[in-house]
Amino acid sequence: MQGDLLAYISDGTPQSIIDRYAQLSEYAQRADFGEFDRDIVVIDTETTGFSFNHDELTQIAAARMDKGEIVGWFVTFVNPGKPIPEDVAHLTNIHDSDVADAPTPSEALAQLVEFVGSSKLVAHNAAFDRTFTTRHPNGYPLLQNVWLDSLDLARIALPRLKSHRLIDLVRTFGAPVSTHRADDDVAATCAVFRILLAAVDTMPKPLVAKIASLETPDHWPTQAVFNYFADHTGISEGNAAAASELPAAEAIDASRETSSGQLSWATGPLDMFSIQGLRRDRLRKIENRPKIDADALASDPMREIVYPSKEEIEQAFRSDGLVGKLYASYEPRKEQREMSMAVRDAFAASENLVFEAGTGVGKSMAYLVPLAETAQRNNITVGVATKTNALLDQLVYKEVPALAAALAKEDPNAKPLTCAPLKGFAHYPCLRKIRSVVEDGAQVKEVQGKELSQAPAMAALVSFIEQTEYDDIDGLKLDYRLLPRKIITTSSQECLRRKCPFFGNLCFVHGARKRAEAADILVTNHSLLFCDMAADGGLLPPIRYWAIDEAHGAEAEARRAFSIELDAESILRDARRLSAEDPRRNVFAHAERRVVLKDAKEESETLFFALTQKGKTAGEAYRQAAEAFCASLKGLLFFDPNKRGKGYEIVELWINDDIRKSATFGDVAEKGSALRETAEKLIVACQNLVAYLENIEDAAAVQREIASIAIDLKEQVSAVELILKNPGEAFAYSATLCRKRDRVAEKLEGLPVNVGAKLNETLYASTHSVVFASATLSVNGKFDGFTSAMGLGQSEFSPVRTYQLDSSYDFDKNMTVYVVSDIPEPNDGGYMASLQKLLVDAHRAQQGSMLTLFTNRREMETCFEYVQPRLKSDDLRLVCQKWGVSVKGLRDDFLADEHLSLFALKSFWEGFDAPGATLKGVVIPKLPFAKPTDPLSCERAERDDQAWRHYVLPAAVLEVKQAAGRLIRRADDTGALILADHRLVSKGYGKTFLNSLPSKNIKIMKASEIVAELEAARRA
């Protein structure tokens, strides 16, 4: 079987793991997996929905498998006794007519039980099929069978795959294609199951044995698979020939030795499992040496920083140049060359640069070429910061490697161009914590009323560690309800650093940082870049040349990094840790249990327990103050302007002078002062205990835990002082409140009004040149809003040039902008009815493939309830971004179905690419102005009579430009942008929006005329 492994394996997967996966199909065909190759029944069910209480079976399929061959089938439709929903019928192609004469669930299950007998059952997501087949009395006997979950096996044995859905496993390994019918899914699962057995058989045996030891089959039936392969230490005799085809590094050979003569961890005795050994085995060939700091070069009179020449940049973007050789059909673009030249000039002049480059310019390669050349010629690290993980991955795993390959062709003797991604602490697994979790063993947790074992999640995590160098866990398919992220990751404050046994190359966080320090190009996200600035450096290597891509989102991320807050949920969580009666949760009681005072004198031991007792007493006082303070925040709901309405659950409130003078706020401030006083006493207790533990053996983890609490408390003290007692003019102050009395979601914040001032003190003062790039930075041809917000041109550190480059695509030809002239304004009573009619007519005229972008969830759902049934009668599918619906799932479905249309919210306004016929039209019902009650807008309005025009209007214009950018993603894309907000015609600022759009092909027409044009264009 030949699959498409490289398309489905995660970027950054080590080559040895890719080789291991690539051999699995062939190995599975020839191997014998003992009891798991004998009398196995693979099962799948289709149902009317996902509710175990309300939905019912529509089809059951099962196949008996022996030695890899299907030797018997059981397939039947099932009459659910209720209509099959339209979306389910569309997915499964099972309709009411198919099940009309089918047996009832009880009848079908009786037949299934007879077919299955005592065989082991295999299902993909076994809990689902097991529940639906055993909820009727006739299916009860199946509760006695062993149920193996192929989804568990896939997540554990193949953690480096992007997806473990059955259809994606099929595509990965070239198994029979699944069509969402139960019989097809069973055939696919039969093929995939043996590949998964092969994958388990080729995992390091000590790891398999450890996974088997995590749980018993009673709590996790799939444990039986790992138990079997753990008992078969090494490739069985019958599988030796099959195993001989595996890559040498991955073949299991108990006699293999490492280059140092030591037995490799991966092939050692089964009781040899250790996370340290696991990491050493994976990383033993990796060596990272930090680059030179560009500041050291700049300050050395004997050396100078060397930049690529203008001629070299010019040559790079010719058909026969560096970039031209990257692409088979490269066409030189003047705009791309101009941008790259400007970036080169900004570096050479130590200036900052703001670039708006339209779609199709190729801005990533435009800044990468001068960045890469500058890095390599000076042996320094340069940086790129992006807003989205999608672009981060595109740069790290696609564009920079392509550029590296082109550079290697030009000069085979030069050092290869290197690139490394880097994110914050919480994105990486903490090996110290994970070792502790694994040593404690799997626990049974209650999730949505069901008791589930942690074992599958723990096994997948440890397997991921074995198959990974330094990648983050963002793409790891883990059930965080069972294994909360906070217990397997750490923070900067919690990290033990040099006191941790994994510190250095073994550690994911610090190893990733060492790799970043040694790379030519570091790629990170906006969040980590600005958090590094707020923390006075230390989170990132010293980088003096930055390209900040997707820069339209930089101000918001910078403000978030420099904000201060008092979060009720976090405060109460800390309070519980400090005062809990359960000694496992109370940090001071935990210290008493974990710290062993070897050879301690009596007075020393007495002092230790006296310090922990002081901590407990201070912790209890803090808890009482914390609960009183957090409860008092609900009182601020008195100032909610819509408190009598049925508005949203969460309320944002601007804390102005009038509120500060009120008795209600005075109560909050008074309780905040009490919180601060108890926090200060608790800080002293923590500091004394931390000092005592400094030289105590094996106390580092406890010491750091208490020290991190002290750091958190210091931040709380500072926040209370600034937000409640002495508010500074540099901040706008807000309260986030929850209307539900039984839910804690309150938060007080101080938001920097002028982020630019902070950036002048940090980012610009510590760099030589920063390039800001985006497709949407200018408003009406001017950059004033962006440069002012980002503090550019405001000090000696922030000189700036601005450039605007039009798209390389012909927007005027390919995008028609329609402005609806006869629709009522949004606050008019007739607006919603007119909008709904327009949406129905436009979708019918276009025949689907439309994206409607709303600013308000309630309006979106109201429109959907009206529009969807009317389109359904025309066989047009429309879906909606409702609560709980997966954004990724909606994106995937939209891209897979050229005729599907979508109603969506903020997450689809930017960063969503649907090229070609998938997207033919974008509708924006309402201009995306910030809410009038937005605290930052209110504060700005208080200080500036023209604040709305200076801040709110530009932000809305940029959002509309982002939304318009969804439509044309390739040179041959065409489509219509429909703006259904009459204010574009009736208000003076309407011209600002229209003048800022990439297309000047703008038509102001009645709704009926627009619909007629869409219809005519489709038929043309």
Side-chain angles (χ1 to χ4, degrees):
M1 293 182 290
Q2 293 298 316
D4 194 7
L5 175 63
L6 294 181
Y8 288 95
I9 202 163
S10 299
D11 293 321
T13 299
Q15 186 60 47
S16 63
I17 299 301
I18 296 174
D19 294 340
R20 185 197 294 183
Y21 285 17
Q23 301 294 323
L24 294 178
S25 292
E26 186 177 351
Y27 177 36
Q29 289 177 358
R30 295 190 288 162
D32 187 319
F33 299 120
E35 66 181 81
F36 296 101
D37 248 350
R38 309 289 186 275
D39 195 24
I40 296 290
V41 173
V42 176
I43 185 171
D44 187 70
T45 61
E46 300 299 342
T47 63
T48 58
F50 301 109
S51 171
F52 296 141
N53 296 322
H54 305 295
D55 288 304
E56 191 52 88
L57 294 162
T58 60
Q59 188 186 25
I60 302 173
R64 188 174 306 282
M65 192 165 58
D66 190 80
K67 298 181 182 178
E69 299 294 330
I70 295 176
V71 295
W73 275 98
F74 171 81
V75 183
T76 181
F77 285 122
V78 182
N79 189 330
K82 59 172 64 178
I84 299 173
E86 180 199 3
D87 56 338
V88 174
H90 178 84
L91 178 67
T92 63
N93 197 28
I94 299 174
H95 304 275
D96 292 333
S97 58
D98 295 316
V99 301
D101 300 322
T104 66
S106 293
E107 293 168 343
L109 288 170
Q111 299 169 27
L112 174 67
V113 167
E114 184 178 352
F115 176 80
V116 171
S118 61
S119 301
K120 292 184 178 70
L121 286 163
V122 176
H124 206 67
N125 191 12
F128 181 88
D129 299 288
R130 187 175 188 268
T131 301
F132 269 104
T133 55
T134 59
R135 49 196 291 243
H136 293 277
N138 282 357
Y140 288 174
L142 297 177
L143 290 169
Q144 305 305 313
N145 294 75
V146 174
W147 286 76
L148 306 175
D149 194 340
S150 56
L151 179 59
D152 274 357
L153 293 177
R155 288 174 172 169
I156 296 166
L158 306 171
R160 297 297 318 198
L161 292 184
K162 295 176 182 177
S163 167
H164 300 101
R165 295 189 308 169
L166 181 60
I167 192 169
D168 291 328
L169 291 172
V170 161
R171 291 166 177 162
T172 301
F173 295 105
V177 175
S178 163
T179 62
H180 290 297
R181 279 261 184 133
D183 46 349
D184 288 334
D185 283 355
V186 165
T189 306
C190 286
V192 165
F193 178 60
R194 300 194 79 255
I195 292 170
L196 297 177
L197 294 177
V200 174
D201 200 18
T202 53
M203 291 169 64
K205 294 306 169 187
L207 174 58
V208 174
K210 186 63 182 179
I211 290 172
S213 74
L214 292 175
E215 189 56 277
T216 64
D218 292 340
H219 288 127
W220 182 36
T222 307
Q223 181 266 4
V225 175
F226 295 93
N227 200 48
Y228 171 82
F229 286 110
D231 285 344
H232 293 69
T233 54
I235 297 292
S236 64
E237 208 172 293
N239 291 347
S244 67
E245 300 299 323
L246 290 172
E250 299 298 325
I252 299 182
D253 173 4
S255 66
R256 190 185 71 175
E257 293 184 347
T258 63
S259 57
S260 63
Q262 298 297 313
L263 190 66
S264 167
W265 172 88
T267 60
L270 296 187
D271 60 358
M272 193 178 165
F273 174 84
S274 79
I275 292 182
Q276 284 103 324
L278 179 154
R279 292 295 285 164
R280 290 192 189 101
D281 210 54
R282 174 60 54 205
L283 304 172
R284 62 181 182 269
K285 295 180 181 178
I286 294 177
E287 183 179 353
N288 295 310
R289 295 182 180 178
K291 300 283 188 179
I292 299 170
D293 184 345
D295 265 1
L297 290 179
S299 61
D300 187 341
M302 303 301 293
R303 295 190 292 179
E304 62 178 359
I305 299 177
V306 180
Y307 306 97
S309 68
K310 294 183 178 182
E311 291 75 21
E312 288 170 324
I313 295 294
E314 183 85 24
Q315 172 60 33
F317 290 92
R318 292 176 180 166
S319 297
D320 60 347
L322 179 65
V323 179
K325 295 174 182 176
L326 289 175
Y327 310 100
S329 56
Y330 178 74
E331 294 182 7
R333 286 166 278 183
K334 176 174 67 73
E335 297 87 356
Q336 187 180 40
R337 185 178 65 252
E338 288 180 5
M339 178 176 174
S340 192
M341 191 73 75
V343 172
R344 178 261 168 221
D345 291 346
F347 287 174
S350 292
E351 291 182 333
N352 303 297
L353 180 67
V354 174
F355 238 115
E356 180 176 86
T359 308
V361 166
K363 65 180 184 300
S364 297
M365 200 56 68
Y367 61 67
L368 280 176
V369 169
L371 273 173
E373 295 282 7
T374 301
Q376 289 209 299
R377 294 177 190 210
N378 299 284
N379 195 30
I380 62 174
T381 299
V382 297
V384 179
T386 75
K387 182 181 180 183
T388 63
N389 286 335
L391 181 57
L392 188 153
D393 291 342
Q394 176 74 15
L395 288 166
V396 173
Y397 301 113
K398 301 293 190 299
E399 302 210 19
V400 175
L403 180 59
L407 286 167
K409 284 184 180 179
E410 284 203 339
D411 185 357
N413 297 319
K415 286 186 178 181
L417 178 70
T418 57
C419 178
L422 189 61
K423 300 180 182 178
F425 272 82
H427 294 272
Y428 298 95
C430 172
L431 298 177
R432 175 178 63 85
K433 285 189 173 184
I434 291 167
R435 182 180 65 177
S436 177
V437 167
V438 171
E439 287 176 352
D440 289 344
Q443 309 296 317
V444 174
K445 300 287 185 179
E446 185 173 314
V447 178
Q448 295 179 340
K450 291 189 174 184
E451 290 192 340
L452 301 174
S453 173
Q454 291 178 310
M458 291 171 61
L461 177 61
V462 179
S463 182
F464 172 83
I465 291 169
E466 188 271 322
Q467 297 185 20
T468 302
E469 291 175 353
Y470 294 116
D471 287 350
D472 57 73
I473 58 172
D474 292 350
L476 179 61
K477 304 301 183 289
L478 212 61
D479 190 340
Y480 291 109
R481 299 171 304 173
L482 293 171
L483 207 58
R485 196 159 178 142
K486 66 181 179 182
I487 73 170
I488 60 170
T489 64
T490 191
S491 66
S492 177
Q493 295 173 5
E494 291 179 289
C495 179
L496 300 186
R497 291 178 170 78
R498 296 188 182 280
K499 293 186 178 182
C500 177
F502 297 98
F503 182 76
N505 282 338
L506 297 185
C507 173
F508 273 79
V509 171
H510 295 287
R513 290 187 176 182
K514 285 179 174 291
R515 180 180 62 177
E517 289 174 354
D520 295 308
I521 301 175
L522 176 150
V523 184
T524 188
N525 50 46
H526 291 176
S527 177
L528 186 57
L529 170 63
F530 293 119
C531 283
D532 183 59
M533 298 298 114
D536 296 323
L539 302 179
L540 295 172
I543 294 176
R544 312 305 176 183
Y545 297 89
W546 279 100
I548 300 180
D549 209 338
E550 301 175 296
H552 55 275
E555 182 194 1
E557 199 59 59
R559 179 168 286 105
R560 190 174 294 113
F562 287 104
S563 293
I564 55 171
E565 69 176 28
L566 288 167
D567 179 67
E569 187 177 8
S570 297
I571 291 171
L572 292 176
R573 184 168 58 245
D574 286 345
R576 287 191 291 269
R577 291 174 62 203
L578 293 159
S579 63
E581 294 183 4
D582 185 344
R584 292 173 300 178
R585 296 177 58 202
N586 185 305
V587 294
F588 300 110
H590 183 64
E592 291 174 344
R593 295 177 63 185
R594 291 292 298 273
V595 175
V596 178
L597 303 175
K598 296 178 181 178
D599 304 321
K601 295 181 180 179
E602 183 177 345
E603 58 268 24
S604 177
E605 188 170 316
T606 300
L607 175 60
F608 172 65
F609 285 104
L611 291 173
T612 58
Q613 184 57 48
K614 284 184 178 180
K616 292 177 184 178
T617 302
E620 175 59 24
Y622 173 80
R623 180 192 65 78
Q624 295 177 15
E627 289 179 350
F629 169 72
C630 293
S632 74
L633 296 177
K634 291 282 188 187
L636 294 174
L637 283 167
F638 174 81
F639 300 102
D640 176 12
N642 298 314
K643 57 188 173 185
R644 294 185 180 179
K646 296 182 180 180
Y648 292 111
E649 184 179 308
I650 300 297
V651 176
E652 270 197 317
L653 187 70
W654 174 42
I655 301 176
N656 57 21
D657 289 341
D658 290 339
I659 290 178
R660 287 187 180 277
K661 293 173 184 176
S662 69
T664 302
F665 191 84
D667 179 59
V668 172
E670 180 182 342
K671 289 181 169 62
S673 294
L675 177 71
R676 184 190 63 190
E677 290 172 8
T678 57
E680 287 173 338
K681 292 177 182 178
L682 186 52
I683 289 169
V684 172
C686 289
Q687 289 174 332
N688 290 337
L689 190 53
V690 167
Y692 177 88
L693 295 172
E694 179 60 34
N695 297 313
I696 303 297
E697 187 178 349
D698 297 327
V702 172
Q703 182 190 38
R704 192 67 185 181
E705 182 180 24
I706 296 171
S708 70
I709 289 172
I711 294 171
D712 287 342
L713 292 171
K714 286 180 181 179
E715 291 179 354
Q716 280 183 26
V717 167
S718 298
V720 168
E721 178 72 19
L722 184 61
I723 296 175
L724 297 175
K725 188 175 181 181
N726 294 308
E729 292 188 359
F731 291 86
Y733 299 92
S734 72
T736 300
L737 309 170
C738 180
R739 286 176 167 164
K740 285 193 173 182
R741 291 291 170 181
D742 59 347
R743 182 185 169 198
V744 176
E746 283 67 41
K747 181 166 61 176
L748 301 181
E749 281 187 285
L751 310 168
V753 176
N754 181 6
V755 170
K758 294 282 188 182
L759 295 178
N760 268 280
E761 298 168 4
T762 55
L763 179 63
Y764 308 132
S766 64
T767 55
H768 298 180
S769 179
V770 180
V771 174
F772 296 91
S774 173
T776 54
L777 291 178
S778 71
V779 175
N780 213 357
K782 297 180 180 180
F783 292 91
D784 298 355
F786 180 81
T787 56
S788 175
M790 297 301 291
L792 290 161
Q794 296 177 8
S795 78
E796 61 179 312
F797 300 123
S798 58
V800 63
R801 297 182 189 178
T802 61
Y803 284 85
Q804 184 175 18
L805 289 176
D806 292 334
S807 172
S808 300
Y809 301 157
D810 190 344
F811 269 83
D812 292 349
K813 177 183 177 183
N814 294 352
M815 176 194 284
T816 302
V817 180
Y818 293 105
V819 180
V820 186
S821 63
D822 60 345
I823 193 169
E825 293 198 3
N827 58 357
D828 190 290
Y831 169 74
M832 186 58 69
S834 297
L835 174 63
Q836 290 170 345
K837 183 178 187 308
L838 169 67
L839 290 172
V840 171
D841 293 344
H843 280 75
R844 283 174 173 166
Q846 193 86 302
Q847 286 293 290
S849 306
M850 298 191 76
L851 173 65
T852 305
L853 298 170
F854 290 85
T855 59
N856 179 289
R857 180 177 294 277
R858 188 178 293 112
E859 290 180 2
M860 176 186 71
E861 292 179 348
T862 300
C863 286
F864 181 74
E865 290 172 5
Y866 179 89
V867 175
Q868 193 268 344
R870 288 159 177 79
L871 296 185
K872 180 181 176 182
S873 64
D874 287 11
D875 292 328
L876 294 175
R877 286 188 66 215
L878 173 67
V879 292
C880 179
Q881 189 184 350
K882 294 183 178 179
W883 280 113
V885 175
S886 163
V887 171
K888 183 182 184 301
L890 285 176
R891 289 175 183 238
D892 291 347
D893 289 347
F894 191 90
L895 294 173
D897 186 344
E898 283 194 4
H899 300 290
L900 181 66
S901 292
L902 171 64
F903 282 5
L905 294 167
K906 180 70 176 176
S907 51
F908 283 84
W909 281 70
E910 62 176 284
F912 173 53
D913 288 350
T918 308
L919 180 59
K920 300 174 184 174
V922 171
V923 183
I924 300 178
K926 188 184 292 186
L927 297 175
F929 292 121
K931 293 183 295 185
T933 56
D934 172 66
L936 184 61
S937 297
C938 291
E939 182 67 35
R940 283 169 163 169
E942 183 80 2
R943 303 182 185 198
D944 180 358
D945 291 341
Q946 297 294 311
W948 188 88
R949 190 166 293 277
H950 290 160
Y951 302 104
V952 178
L953 176 61
V957 171
L958 293 182
E959 282 203 55
V960 170
K961 290 177 69 174
Q962 278 290 326
R966 301 312 95 216
L967 194 57
I968 308 296
R969 307 306 301 170
R970 299 188 310 207
D972 57 350
D973 284 351
T974 60
L977 172 65
I978 302 175
L979 303 174
D981 194 324
H982 189 260
R983 290 175 293 182
L984 289 166
V985 179
S986 64
K987 304 296 184 184
Y989 57 74
K991 291 182 179 179
T992 303
F993 281 93
L994 300 180
N995 291 341
S996 301
L997 293 173
S999 174
K1000 304 309 175 188
N1001 182 14
I1002 299 171
K1003 298 182 179 182
I1004 301 174
M1005 305 169 68
K1006 293 180 180 180
S1008 59
E1009 296 170 338
I1010 294 171
V1011 170
E1013 279 211 8
L1014 292 176
E1015 177 79 24
R1018 181 176 62 83
R1019 295 183 181 279

